[in-house]
């Protein structure tokens, strides 16, 4: 969904009855989150979800989170991950991540009430789930093939312009360096012309 104030990344999915249960719904869900990741803004589906919508989204959320947890487990150098980092890697909102982890009984609060929650992972369980999900629904989107640029608002354009200026030394479209150009036969060329 474009420019949604509520932060929705998808309004509605309609799969024709003859194509249902073939993985196209999850493919569209995955695509919406790929766009959210590309924008750098976490997204969520328009609420309230229908019963089938909730089942599809929960299944997608679970698979996306589990795949990251498995990859993290395989890379033993990163033993911890935050919900914010999960959000950044999946494109999902922190609320949807927490909801999924709570539903799966993976959020644990230590005895001390002042301590924060932790994610309790049963690697065998999530590995089995991901393997079955990959067999059941092998259709995936290759993120490297996405040729799309996010819509730039004045606020995002300003942030992008400032970041580009800092990286390249160009401010407000004009280079900070002055290059001289030969005046030759062109009366309009000046010796102190600014490069853009």
């Amino acid at each position: 969904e474009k420019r949604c104030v509520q932060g929705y990344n998808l309004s509605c999915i309609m799969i024709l009855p003859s194509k249902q249960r073939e993985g196209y719904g999850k493919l569209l869900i995955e695509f919406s989150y790929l766009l959210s990741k590309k924008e750098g803004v976490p997204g969520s589906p328009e609420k309230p979800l229908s019963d089938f919508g909730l089942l599809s989204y929960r299944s997608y959320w679970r698979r996306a989170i589990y795949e990251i947890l498995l990859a993290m487990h395989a890379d033993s150098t990163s033993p911890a991950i935050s919900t914010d980092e999960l959000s950044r890697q999946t494109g999902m909102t922190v609320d949807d991540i927490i909801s999924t982890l709570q539903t799966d009984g993976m959020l644990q609060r230590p005895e001390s009430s002042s301590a924060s929650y932790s994610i309790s992972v049963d690697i065998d369980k999530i590995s089995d789930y991901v393997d079955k999900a990959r067999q059941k629904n092998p259709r995936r989107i290759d993120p490297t093939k996405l040729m799309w640029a996010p819509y730039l608002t004045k606020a995002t354009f300003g942030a992008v312009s400032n970041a580009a200026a800092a990286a390249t030394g160009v401010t407000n479209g004009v280079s900070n360096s002055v290059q001289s150009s030969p005046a030759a036969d062109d009366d309009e060329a000046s010796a102190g012309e600014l490069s853009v």
Side-chain angles (χ1 to χ4, degrees):
E1 188 168 322
K2 287 184 168 183
R3 292 171 267 172
C4 179
V5 177
Q6 294 88 354
Y8 300 145
N9 62 359
L10 190 62
S11 255
C12 181
I13 296 176
M14 186 190 86
I15 306 297
L16 297 173
S18 63
K19 295 296 179 184
Q20 290 178 354
R21 308 213 37 91
E22 291 184 23
Y24 292 109
K26 287 193 185 110
L27 191 71
L28 292 173
I29 292 170
E30 181 180 19
F31 184 64
S32 73
Y33 282 109
L34 179 60
L35 295 178
S36 290
K37 284 192 285 188
K38 182 88 169 183
E39 274 185 311
V41 178
S44 187
E46 184 175 1
K47 309 281 191 323
L49 289 169
S50 67
D51 293 340
F52 288 124
L54 182 60
L55 287 174
S56 293
Y57 267 96
R58 280 246 169 91
S59 175
Y60 173 79
W61 292 337
R62 186 173 288 125
R63 180 177 177 175
I65 292 168
Y66 285 8
E67 285 176 338
I68 290 170
L69 294 175
L70 280 175
M72 196 180 91
H73 177 71
D75 177 24
S76 58
T77 60
S78 55
I81 191 166
S82 68
T83 52
D84 289 332
E85 180 60 19
L86 280 172
S87 175
R88 189 190 66 72
Q89 289 187 33
T90 61
M92 297 164 43
T93 62
V94 171
D95 289 342
D96 291 337
I97 291 168
I98 290 172
S99 167
T100 303
L101 293 172
Q102 281 179 332
T103 300
D104 293 351
M106 295 174 69
L107 280 184
Q108 305 294 320
R109 186 167 192 145
E111 301 292 322
S112 152
S113 61
S114 63
S116 60
Y117 284 87
S118 63
I119 300 171
S120 173
V121 178
D122 179 350
I123 292 299
D124 293 333
K125 177 183 171 185
I126 65 174
S127 180
D128 287 345
Y129 181 87
V130 170
D131 288 343
K132 287 177 184 174
R134 287 178 179 161
Q135 289 171 1
K136 183 178 177 183
N137 187 12
R139 286 187 177 90
R140 298 302 296 267
I141 294 176
D142 182 358
T144 63
K145 305 286 189 211
L146 179 63
M147 303 299 289
W148 176 79
Y151 174 76
L152 294 177
T153 62
K154 285 183 180 180
T156 56
F157 182 72
V160 169
S161 296
N162 292 339
T168 62
V170 176
T171 309
N172 297 328
V174 178
S175 173
N176 293 334
S177 64
V178 177
Q179 296 179 347
S180 60
S181 62
D185 294 330
D186 190 6
D187 293 339
E188 294 181 18
S190 65
E193 185 174 317
L194 295 178
S195 65
V196 179

